[in-house]
Every structure is written in structure tokens, then in C-alpha cells.
Amino acid sequence: MNNIIIGNFNINSLSNKFDDLKLIVTGIFDILVITETKLDNSFPDNQFMIDGFSIPYRLDRSSYGGGVIIYVREDIPSKLLTSFCFPNDIEGIFVEINFRKSKWLLCGTYHPPSQCDQYFFDSISLGLDFFCIYEKILLVGDFNAKIGEAVFDHFLDQYDLKAVNKEPTCYKNVNNPSRIDFILTNNPKSFYNTKTIPIGLSDYHQLVLSIFKTTFVKAAPKEMIYRDFKNFDQNVFDEEVSGNFFKENIKSYKTFEENFLQALNKFAPLKKKVLRANHAPYVTKKMRKAIMKRSKLENEYIKKKTSESLRIYKKQKNYCSRLYKRERKSYYNNLHVTDIIDNKMFWKNIQPFFSEKRKSINKITLVNDGNVISDDALVAEEINGFFENAPKSLDIKSNHYLKDLDSGGITDSVDKAIYEFKNHPSILLIKSEVTYSERFSFYEASLNDIQNELIHLDASKSFTFESIPPKILKKSNESSSVIIQNLFNDSLNRCEFPQELKTADITPIFKKDDPTKAKNYRPISILPVVSKLFEKVMQKQLSNHIDAFLSPYLCGYRKGFSTQQALLSLTEKWRSNLDNNGYCGGIFMDLSKAFDTINHDLLIAKLDAYGFSKASLKFLKSYLTNRWQRTKINRSFSNWTELMLGVPQGSVLGPILFNIYINDLFYLSQQTDVCNYADDTTFHACDVELSGLIQRLEHDSKLAIDWFDNNYMKLNEDKSHLLVSGHKHEAIFIMIGPSQIWENYEQKILGIMMDKNLKFESYILSQCKKAGQKLAALSRICQFLNIDRKRLLMKSFIESQFSYCPLVWMFSGRFSNNRINHIHERALRIVYSDYRLSFEELLQKDKSVSIHHRNIHYLAIEMFKVLKGLSSQIMNEIFSLRNIEYNIRSQKDFSSSVVHSVNYGHNSLRYFGPKIWNIIPDDIKKANNLLDFKNKIKSWVPDKCPCTICKNYVFNVGFIN
């Protein structure tokens, strides 16, 4: 059985069309769903019999006068699911269908046009959540809804459903047909050749027909190299390593690595194994052996055909089934919380139960000039060539400050860089802004420094091919730390970063658009683990000096800073100005390959201007230059290429060096503010007049463009955007260089879609869509978890899904908040298998709070940090502390702001924060420290919260407490 034909259509009256129906469907359809069927009470049930079909059906004869019938061919295993019943006014049936050992949940349904959309889709959602153990879903029926309608789209997003039929289905209006009948599934790749055809049984609706494919070509198995730790003994290994180090005079990293790997290969040799392309992580060695034995016994039975061989085969088959269930249950019960909070780890661990997201193998196929490149080695070479030439293809202009400059015979590379850029505007600007008492120099690392870094080493991080694994190096702290310390200090004293630590394996990460184009991949450098140890030691020393000179609005890659603070520095200024009927605008500037275009000599000159000593500059120059990289695709590698520009992405030092490189851009801003995180830069301003706003943005944009040119960076003008807030009658534009940039209604900034009204509804809807898809996947493993584990995973998942920049979008409105609550409610219902309690009752049962109240907790925590002097300048500017020189009866910690509107005044942190702080109980506010405050605030539920979301709405009255 390779293909199954599925049909769906409306038939208003079955009583007088049954013979026609029987004639049409016999021998054609394997599954048929009929909706909106109407019968008189005299029509006998046995008339529903059609030769060769089983008849799981439900005929409501409800107040809407219709019903749903599902015909399933008798040779297809199926059963009617009666454990969940819809309300009497919801027409729908759930049926389990078995296709080649794959169970599908089939739902046939009809949505009358007069029925409330929200009520109908909420009812269907309850059923899908109740039967959440089914991996694959198929919904068939007349939904009387169109894709693009908010309620219907939200329903599709929750369960990652796609419509396989694309043509109109209802021809009530011949000139404007609509698509309201659907075959929906979360596994669309199984359906093809979907079409609609008229059959004359329905007044307006055409038959929707699709072919379901039940067999697929097997993906090729993949080869895996691993270390066999079966007989590995850490103590014996450490003795062997220490002995090798004692015998050898370790003077270079190369000698250290060779001796370390020699001992490792002896006690944990490299081995090879072949895995199925769709290998599941819960398939253990014991399970694989049991399956192999089952296959062997099956073959013996096929040959002998005896009752004894059948009995032995069935016994082993039943054992494999029990073992399969037990191993899956063990795997999912042992999942750590971090395995589902991190997006990458979520799909890696949950995807065995989410087939649409499953990857069989890391295979990249490119198309170049019409030629298809699928061989891994050729793909690696193609992508590596693109990465090498990408900075050159930007056509960055040569710096005119270097023209006709005589270096005066300077041969030292550091001295030459400082001399050549001495009149560069960035260098002059830094020297005018920065003063220091003494120059910075790296100092030798202590044994404690190295051991501390080894202890905190992330053992799960990737490492270069055939180099020292971080997991083993971490465990070999005592035997290796002294050698690593000596290697670092020797390199520092010679001002030479070890050459072996300057090689990188590049992993291409797909970004977006067409996966067959090399330009749509981003290079991530996988470096040797010892290189990262050296860099961490250097970074800590370097940060202590440079942090004092970095702009307080430079939020990327800095401890105590975040994207949330970068965004709040913009949104709170905008809200304050808009509350006073002003205008706000921002230029969202996109830089091409910002990390890859950093000029090493200019960076060295900037470090000199910030007060770095000659020795430290030589050490950093050695770190930056003569670096080599190759691209890795599975087990294939490209040739080595030299990295002439930029800092390696994936390194420890790269981000802080990038911050130093762009820091003087903040000194340049005269009439605007800068919202920045990494290479995302937005110049924004506020003004009482629209013309004044435009003048400010154009003025500083011109300065920024000059800065980019002078600093070897390329502005992508096609991807630069304008966003303007404030009451106006027409769209506006500004000039960025020669380009005319028109304003957008909304724009993505630092991962959040921001609209001109600061509502963030698009962002919330996209997050709800992602959360719904993940929740659908997560719900399928709940059958393997106990209640405590299930609650922990769900709670962590929901909180993490809406934890990115919550203070930025927390005023998004009641509609968005209801969407979030709906996702949260679904999660709680799945955890407790309770489909009767309200959302508020479920929260009480769970002893938790809503996402909105959790966001209020986050706000309270930020205010406590401001009160105790633990926050950044950005947060200190938002919340103003009161200066009280004498005691008064009702003393408050924060001063309140005077506001004039709800959207931009009441819905702002500067106004809402002090209001919330005033209703927090004193015993919580008097917490001894930040950790104590966080623990106490968790269980607090705001009483009479002043925000519009928490207020009740009364028709013709408004919001009331």
C-alpha cells in the first residue's frame, strides 16, 4: 500500500443523494470525510453502509442541523476515538488511522458560519491537546474560515498545521470563489497532487482530493567517529599523561597536544560506527542488539514457517516493544531543563517526536551557475572560497589617510600601524576623549587562573578535528594545568600567540532564504579548546582596563548588559517624547560582514590610543595575524586559507575586540542617540517638530557613513530602514548618502519586530507561533514523564519562550496577552490532563503566575537592582530615585513621572515601575540581597495592578480596577 486517496466535501442532504455517493466513492477513495450532512429522522442508519468501508461516524443532528461522517476503507486499520467528546454544538469526530506502523490522528469537522470562530477553534484545540500523544495530525472538513483571518491563523500556528489544498473550494459566488474547505496536516510532505473537482453532489462546494504517500526513499546511513571510553580510567590516564610530560621537555603547544593525544588514543581509541540516518537518541546499544536479534529471528521464521520459530520471533518482538517504551521513557525523564530552553538543544532532543523538523543528515547542496554541487568536499571548497572572498567583494574603499604617507623606514609592524593611522579621525577622537594614568599590559597567569578556567570549561563545546577534547582536558585539570600555565606565560613573554592555536574549522550555519546559495551561510569558527583558555585569561585582564572607556550604550558582549537594555534605551525615550506629542525616529543601519572587515592595523592603532602597551599590542597583533581556516562539511574539508581581515567568529576575544573597534562611533553621535548590540546599530532621535527630527537623523547619519568609510566597514543601504513615530498625515523619507529611505510601519531590531506605535503585536504573534509548534512537539513526550518532571519541563519551556526582552514588549496589549495566556493554558492542561478548570484555576493548581505577572516580577527585580546600585546607567536613567532630606510618613523610593496619555505615558516603565514598586509588600522590598529578593518576589501576585491588562473592562464605562 503506497498511496491512499483522501477526499473531503460538503453534502447538504444525504437522504436523496446516497446512491450517487455510493456510486462515486466505491473503488476510488480510501478515506472520505463528509461534512454538513442533513438527514430526516426516518433515514435508517444502515443506509450508511458502503461496500468495502468501515464506518466510524458521528451524526449530531445538532441545532445546526448537520453532522460529520468519515468513511475508512476496511483494509486500513482504524478506530473511532470516544475518550474525548465535543460539546453537542461542535460537529467533529476523532479517528485513529494506522499507515504502515505510523499512527495518525484524523479529525473530521464542520464549522457552521453562524458559530463563534473562537469558540469553535478552542474546542478543536481541546481535542488536539487531549490526543497530544499522536505525532501526526490530519484535520479534514469545512472550516468556514480563510487563511489570513486572525483566529484561524492562530489555530494553525499553534499546531504547525499547513493546508495541502491551494485552490478555491466554495463557488457560492462564482466570480469570487473562496477556500474554506481544507485538508490540514502538520506533515505536509506526505501529501501530493492535491486538487479540487466538482462532482455534483454539493450545491456550492467542490470535492477536495489529495494523495497520501506512505512510503519514502530511505536516507543513506551516516558514519560517525567516536572515542571508546569503555575501558577508560581517569586516574590511569592522568598518570600516563604526567609521565609523558615529565619525559618530554614541553616547550610548545604542539608537543603538549601530541603527548596528550598519544595517551588518549591509548586509553580511549577512536572508533567508527554507522548510524541510521533517522537515528533516535534514545536508541541504546542494548536496543540495537535486540532489534538485530528480532530481524534475525524474523528471517528464520520466513524460511522455516514453523510454529516454534513463530513463537520465538513473537517473543523477541514483544521484548523489543517493551524495551523501546522503557528506553524512551528513561531518555525523556532524564532530559535536563537546559535541553529544552535552548532553541538548538530543544529540536535536537525533541525532534524524534516531531517528524517535520527532523534532519536525517547534515547535507548541503549548492547550485552555482546552473551546476548542482552535492559532493561534501566540493561543497566545502565552494563555501570556503565564498567566505575567503566575501570581504573583498564588498569593494571597500582604500583609506585616503594612508595615501602618500611615508612610514619613515619603520619595520616593526606595530609601530608602523600606529604611525600610519596617527592622523585618522577615529584615533584623534579617541585621544581627545580618553585619559589613562598608566598603559595596560598583560601579566602572567597564575596556576589558579588556569585551573579556574579549566573548572568552568564547557565540556559540551565543539572542538577542531583531531584536537584535544574539552571534556577530557577538564577532567585532567591537575595533570595539565601547570603545562598550560607555562605555555601561556611563555607565549606572553615572547609576544607570540601559538601558531597551532590560530587554526579554525569553519562550520557553515544556514541563515535564511535559498539554502543552495553559499552567500546564505554564516561562518562559525571552531577553535582548539586551549586557544579559548588562553583567550579567556586575556579577556579578563583586558576587560578590567577597557570597560572604563566603553560607552554605557554599547550593550553587546558585556557583563551586566543585554539586548533588553539596548532596546529600553530607545523605547523609553520614545515613549516619553510621544507622551508630549513629539516625534521620534530611528535609522536602522545594516553593515555587511562587520566582523569580517575589521582592519587589523587600525584596530592596533585604536588599542594604542586606549592605552595599551607595546608588548600587549605585539601579543594581540600575533593573535590576529597569520590565522588559517578551512570549511568542514561532515567528514570532508576544504583547503586552508589565510584570514587577512576581521576577528574569528566563535572566539572569546573577537567580541570584545569588535566592541573596542566601534566604540568611538558613540563619541561621534552629536544630535542622536545610538542603540547598539554587536553589529546592529540604530541612530535614533526625538524632537517636538517633524522637520527637526529629520534634520537630526540626516545629520548624524552622514557622520556615521563617513565613519564607516574611514573604518573599512560597508553600509548596506538597501537593508537600511527608517521608522518614525508621531502623529502625521503622510509618509516621510530621509536621505542616507545618495539613497532615499522611506519610512516603514514596523522594523525588526535586535530580534524584536517593533512597530511605530510601540505595540509589538507582530513579535508576540510570532513568538506564540513558535511556542505553539514547540508545545505540540513537547506534548508528545508527556506520556513518558511523571507529573513532576512534566511540570518542570513545561514550566521551564513556557517561561523561557517569553523571556527575551520582556520589559520591552510587556505593554503590548490585551489581545497579545490573551494569546500568550492561551499558550500557557494549553501547557498547563497537558501537564495536569485537566480540560475543565479555567486558566486562573490551573495557575492556582500549579502554584504559578501568568506571563504578565512574571514580567512584573522582572520589572521589580530591575528596580531593586537600581535601588541597590547594581544596575547599568541605562536603567538608572529610566528609574529616578527620590532624594529626601527628611523623614516623612509615606516615604517612597522612586519618584513618579507626570504623564499625559495611556499608550505612551501609563504604558511606560518610568511611570508603571514606581506604581508597581509602591504595592510590593515591605518584607519583600527589604530583602537582604538580590538573590533573596528574587526568591521572595516569585510567589507575589500583584493586588490591584494599575495596568490596563489587569483591569476589568465594562461596556460603555471603560477599564476599572
Side-chain angles (χ1 to χ4, degrees):
M1 182 171 58
N2 292 323
N3 298 311
I4 295 173
I5 302 176
I6 296 175
N8 159 53
F9 68 104
N10 284 31
I11 180 167
N12 292 333
S13 177
L14 192 60
S15 301
N16 57 1
K17 297 182 180 179
F18 178 74
D19 291 336
D20 293 334
L21 170 67
K22 184 175 180 180
L23 181 66
I24 290 174
V25 302
T26 303
I28 298 177
F29 297 99
D30 298 287
I31 299 175
L32 182 65
V33 178
I34 307 174
T35 59
E36 203 183 0
T37 55
K38 295 181 180 179
L39 297 172
D40 55 49
N41 291 327
S42 64
F43 193 84
D45 284 347
N46 60 11
Q47 290 295 315
F48 287 97
M49 295 296 295
I50 295 181
D51 295 339
F53 281 77
S54 58
I55 50 168
Y57 74 93
R58 173 185 176 187
L59 187 62
D60 291 313
R61 295 188 175 94
S62 65
S63 58
Y64 295 100
V68 178
I69 304 174
I70 296 179
Y71 288 100
V72 182
R73 192 169 291 281
E74 286 180 337
D75 57 356
I76 298 176
S78 63
K79 66 178 179 180
L80 181 64
L81 301 175
T82 58
S83 53
F84 176 86
C85 292
F86 286 114
N88 289 332
D89 54 351
I90 296 294
E91 300 178 29
I93 315 172
F94 280 110
V95 177
E96 179 190 292
I97 309 290
N98 267 291
F99 297 136
R100 297 180 63 87
K101 300 181 181 180
S102 177
K103 292 183 179 181
W104 282 70
L105 178 67
L106 169 63
C107 176
T109 185
Y110 171 64
H111 173 215
S114 57
Q115 193 173 58
C116 173
D117 291 351
Q118 191 68 59
Y119 173 68
F120 170 77
F121 286 111
D122 283 349
S123 300
I124 300 295
S125 294
L126 279 176
L128 293 179
D129 289 341
F130 185 86
F131 294 114
C132 62
I133 63 172
Y134 289 90
E135 176 186 352
K136 299 173 182 178
I137 304 171
L138 182 62
L139 270 69
V140 182
D142 179 3
F143 291 86
N144 272 306
K146 300 177 182 177
I147 292 178
E149 295 176 357
V151 177
F152 190 36
D153 283 355
H154 179 58
F155 171 75
L156 297 178
D157 291 342
Q158 285 184 88
Y159 301 97
D160 197 29
L161 298 173
K162 303 289 189 302
V164 299
N165 57 303
K166 308 298 181 185
E167 301 173 359
T169 60
C170 179
Y171 285 81
K172 189 171 185 178
N173 183 344
V174 179
N175 296 321
N176 186 25
S178 58
R179 182 168 56 133
I180 58 175
D181 308 272
F182 292 97
I183 296 178
L184 305 173
T185 180
N186 65 344
N187 196 20
K189 66 179 181 180
S190 296
F191 294 83
Y192 69 99
N193 203 21
T194 305
K195 58 182 65 176
T196 59
I197 56 175
I199 59 174
L201 288 181
S202 178
D203 294 337
Y204 310 113
H205 296 261
Q206 293 191 357
L207 171 69
V208 182
L209 174 69
S210 186
I211 298 178
F212 178 83
K213 189 174 182 180
T214 59
T215 57
F216 297 88
V217 177
K218 273 189 175 181
K222 57 182 179 180
E223 188 179 90
M224 181 178 178
I225 304 295
Y226 71 100
R227 287 197 177 274
D228 184 8
F229 287 96
K230 183 177 180 180
N231 300 315
F232 184 79
D233 187 307
Q234 185 67 48
N235 293 328
V236 176
F237 172 76
D238 286 342
E239 290 179 5
E240 179 83 8
V241 169
S242 299
N244 288 347
F245 290 163
F246 181 76
K247 294 175 187 177
E248 297 283 347
N249 187 16
I250 306 296
K251 292 293 185 181
S252 68
Y253 171 76
K254 184 177 181 180
T255 309
F256 166 76
E257 184 180 55
E258 288 175 349
N259 281 270
F260 193 97
L261 291 177
Q262 180 183 345
L264 185 59
N265 291 333
K266 179 179 179 181
F267 294 101
L270 288 171
K271 289 191 175 182
K272 183 187 300 184
K273 65 180 178 181
V274 177
L275 295 176
R276 293 176 56 179
N278 59 347
H279 168 73
Y282 49 74
V283 177
T284 61
K285 186 176 182 180
K286 183 178 180 181
M287 191 188 300
R288 284 197 296 270
K289 286 186 175 181
I291 293 172
M292 291 171 63
K293 185 177 179 180
R294 181 192 65 187
S295 300
K296 180 181 178 182
L297 293 173
E298 183 182 15
N299 292 332
E300 289 181 0
Y301 164 69
I302 292 173
K303 290 178 182 178
K304 297 180 180 179
K305 292 291 184 179
T306 64
S307 58
E308 180 62 18
S309 62
L310 177 61
R311 184 189 66 81
I312 295 173
Y313 163 63
K314 283 188 174 181
K315 182 180 179 181
Q316 182 65 21
K317 181 181 178 182
N318 292 335
Y319 170 72
C320 287
S321 298
R322 293 193 301 272
L323 184 62
Y324 178 62
K325 293 176 182 178
R326 187 165 65 243
E327 293 296 342
R328 280 195 301 175
K329 186 174 182 179
S330 174
Y331 172 78
Y332 287 113
N333 265 307
N334 291 325
L335 271 182
H336 195 269
V337 171
T338 55
D339 294 333
I340 67 166
I341 291 178
D342 178 76
N343 190 62
K344 179 181 177 182
M345 294 298 295
F346 177 89
W347 291 119
K348 178 181 178 181
N349 290 288
I350 305 302
Q351 69 181 186
F353 276 81
F354 206 52
S355 58
E356 186 65 13
K357 294 292 182 182
R358 183 180 300 174
K359 274 194 196 173
S360 60
I361 194 167
N362 181 24
K363 184 71 176 175
I364 299 177
T365 301
L366 301 178
V367 177
N368 187 6
D369 294 331
N371 299 318
V372 178
I373 307 172
S374 58
D375 181 75
D376 287 345
L378 296 178
V379 170
E381 201 65 52
E382 184 76 17
I383 293 180
N384 195 67
F386 171 77
F387 290 158
E388 180 187 11
N389 295 317
K392 303 174 186 176
S393 64
L394 296 177
D395 191 28
I396 296 176
K397 301 174 183 177
S398 59
N399 203 308
H400 66 274
Y401 293 97
L402 303 182
K403 289 182 179 179
D404 303 322
L405 182 64
D406 183 9
S407 60
I410 301 174
T411 57
D412 183 87
S413 60
V414 170
D415 291 336
K416 187 176 180 181
I418 296 172
Y419 176 80
E420 287 181 342
F421 287 100
K422 64 180 180 179
N423 294 320
H424 190 279
S426 286
I427 303 301
L428 298 177
L429 185 58
I430 293 171
K431 289 183 176 180
S432 68
E433 296 284 343
V434 172
T435 57
Y436 49 85
S437 56
E438 58 181 351
R439 286 190 170 268
F440 164 80
S441 293
F442 290 109
Y443 53 86
E444 291 188 350
S446 67
L447 183 60
N448 184 64
D449 291 334
I450 301 298
Q451 290 178 339
N452 186 59
E453 295 301 337
L454 281 170
I455 290 171
H456 293 94
L457 186 65
D458 188 349
S460 66
K461 288 293 185 181
S462 300
F463 53 98
T464 50
F465 182 66
E466 292 184 345
S467 65
I468 298 175
K471 175 182 176 181
I472 305 302
L473 186 64
K474 182 175 183 176
K475 290 182 178 180
S476 305
N477 190 329
E478 293 184 6
S479 59
S480 303
S481 55
V482 175
I483 304 298
I484 294 175
Q485 178 199 13
N486 292 336
L487 289 175
F488 176 82
N489 291 338
D490 181 62
S491 299
L492 178 63
N493 293 329
R494 290 186 292 107
C495 298
E496 293 182 8
F497 199 85
Q499 183 59 44
E500 296 81 7
L501 299 182
K502 294 193 288 184
T503 58
D505 288 340
I506 301 297
T507 299
I509 303 298
F510 176 65
K511 295 186 292 185
K512 60 180 179 179
D513 298 332
D514 187 356
T516 65
K517 302 296 182 183
K519 66 179 182 179
N520 294 324
Y521 291 85
R522 174 178 297 167
I524 299 298
S525 299
I526 307 299
L527 299 166
V529 60
V530 177
S531 172
K532 292 191 175 184
L533 287 176
F534 282 19
E535 290 181 60
K536 285 181 179 180
V537 174
M538 295 167 65
Q539 183 211 32
K540 286 186 176 180
Q541 297 182 19
L542 190 154
S543 296
N544 292 333
H545 171 78
I546 201 64
D547 277 352
F549 306 127
L550 297 181
S551 168
Y553 299 99
L554 182 62
C555 297
Y557 314 118
R558 299 176 66 187
K559 186 177 180 180
F561 291 78
S562 64
T563 51
Q564 177 167 264
Q565 293 184 16
L567 287 168
L568 288 177
S569 70
L570 182 150
T571 56
E572 285 301 302
K573 288 177 181 177
W574 283 29
R575 285 192 172 107
S576 178
N577 194 64
L578 291 171
D579 188 48
N580 291 291
N581 296 319
Y583 295 90
C584 305
I587 299 292
F588 300 79
M589 294 187 171
D590 180 80
L591 296 175
S592 299
K593 308 292 181 183
F595 278 78
D596 299 329
T597 57
I598 290 178
N599 183 281
H600 295 160
D601 286 343
L602 179 54
L603 175 59
I604 292 298
K606 289 188 177 187
L607 289 168
D608 173 72
Y610 282 115
F612 281 65
S613 67
K614 176 72 175 294
S616 63
L617 293 176
K618 291 186 69 174
F619 195 38
L620 287 170
K621 177 76 172 178
S622 173
Y623 167 81
L624 290 168
T625 55
N626 201 21
R627 302 191 72 93
W628 295 81
Q629 65 183 30
R630 60 180 178 178
T631 298
K632 176 179 180 291
I633 305 293
N634 297 319
R635 305 289 297 173
S636 299
F637 297 87
S638 68
N639 292 321
W640 290 98
T641 55
E642 187 175 4
L643 187 69
M644 304 301 294
L645 295 170
V647 292
Q649 297 189 46
S651 65
V652 176
L653 274 182
I656 191 170
L657 293 177
F658 180 83
N659 277 351
I660 295 171
Y661 194 81
I662 68 168
N663 186 59
D664 58 286
L665 177 63
F666 291 81
Y667 299 150
L668 197 67
S669 177
Q670 297 177 1
Q671 300 184 20
T672 61
D673 296 307
V674 184
C675 173
N676 170 272
Y677 192 95
D679 58 342
D680 288 323
T681 303
T682 300
F683 286 83
H684 62 97
C686 300
D687 203 288
V688 294
E689 298 291 341
L690 185 58
S691 58
L693 173 68
I694 296 173
Q695 186 274 327
R696 287 172 180 268
L697 293 176
E698 288 185 339
H699 178 272
D700 278 14
S701 295
K702 176 64 171 60
L703 295 178
I705 291 174
D706 291 341
W707 187 93
F708 294 140
D709 288 341
N710 294 335
N711 286 267
Y712 301 96
M713 288 189 165
K714 184 70 172 180
L715 177 66
N716 190 340
E717 295 177 0
D718 293 336
K719 293 185 179 181
S720 296
H721 302 282
L722 169 66
L723 195 68
V724 177
S725 290
H727 181 70
K728 58 187 186 305
H729 299 288
E730 57 185 15
I732 66 167
F733 66 87
I734 69 167
M735 300 299 298
I736 296 185
S739 301
Q740 191 180 68
I741 308 296
W742 285 89
E743 67 169 312
N744 295 344
Y745 174 76
E746 59 182 6
Q747 179 59 40
K748 193 171 187 178
I749 172 174
L750 300 182
I752 287 187
M753 188 62 73
M754 174 179 164
D755 61 77
K756 61 195 303 181
N757 298 319
L758 304 182
K759 290 293 186 182
F760 301 99
E761 289 182 353
S762 295
Y763 172 74
I764 300 298
L765 293 181
S766 68
Q767 289 301 105
C768 288
K769 178 179 178 178
K770 294 176 184 177
Q773 295 172 359
K774 290 184 179 181
L775 185 57
L778 202 58
S779 64
R780 292 171 197 140
I781 70 169
C782 286
Q783 58 180 313
F784 306 111
L785 306 175
N786 58 49
I787 186 68
D788 292 333
R789 191 68 181 168
K790 194 160 48 171
R791 179 182 177 274
L792 177 62
L793 289 179
M794 283 292 189
K795 183 178 177 64
S796 302
F797 159 72
I798 287 295
E799 290 187 354
S800 64
Q801 192 62 42
F802 297 99
S803 62
Y804 181 70
C805 301
L807 301 186
V808 175
W809 51 261
M810 69 179 296
F811 301 111
S812 55
R814 296 168 73 88
F815 175 80
S816 298
N817 186 67
N818 290 339
R819 287 289 175 89
I820 296 172
N821 287 345
H822 186 65
I823 295 289
H824 197 174
E825 180 182 348
R826 281 184 56 210
L828 293 176
R829 291 197 188 284
I830 292 170
V831 169
Y832 294 105
S833 300
D834 193 317
Y835 299 89
R836 298 176 295 102
L837 296 180
S838 67
F839 179 46
E840 290 72 19
E841 291 169 330
L842 287 169
L843 288 173
Q844 292 177 3
K845 186 174 184 178
D846 191 56
K847 296 180 181 178
S848 60
V849 297
S850 67
I851 298 299
H852 175 64
H853 284 164
R854 188 210 59 176
N855 292 344
I856 291 177
H857 293 170
Y858 285 158
L859 174 58
I861 291 171
E862 289 298 328
M863 299 188 73
F864 182 85
K865 289 164 66 175
V866 171
L867 188 65
K868 300 299 181 181
L870 304 174
S871 196
S872 66
Q873 180 177 321
I874 292 174
M875 302 308 295
N876 292 335
E877 290 174 353
I878 295 174
F879 303 112
S880 301
L881 293 172
R882 297 185 69 188
N883 294 320
I884 303 175
E885 299 178 356
Y886 51 87
N887 292 326
I888 58 176
R889 184 171 297 176
S890 59
Q891 186 170 338
K892 299 176 181 178
D893 297 311
F894 295 92
S895 59
S896 298
S897 300
V898 177
V899 298
H900 307 95
S901 66
V902 174
N903 288 339
Y904 305 117
H906 288 267
N907 292 342
S908 66
L909 294 185
R910 73 184 192 282
Y911 174 83
F912 185 66
K915 295 288 184 183
I916 287 296
W917 186 258
N918 293 338
I919 63 175
I920 297 176
D922 289 340
D923 63 313
I924 298 179
K925 289 194 285 188
K926 293 178 180 178
N928 296 324
N929 50 55
L930 182 59
L931 180 61
D932 186 28
F933 183 85
K934 287 181 178 179
N935 291 331
K936 289 181 177 180
I937 201 70
K938 283 181 182 179
S939 58
W940 175 66
V941 178
D943 183 27
K944 295 183 178 180
C945 176
C947 73
T948 55
I949 290 177
C950 295
K951 293 178 180 179
N952 295 318
Y953 181 78
V954 178
F955 183 69
N956 286 335
V957 175
F959 293 101
I960 61 173
N961 287 326

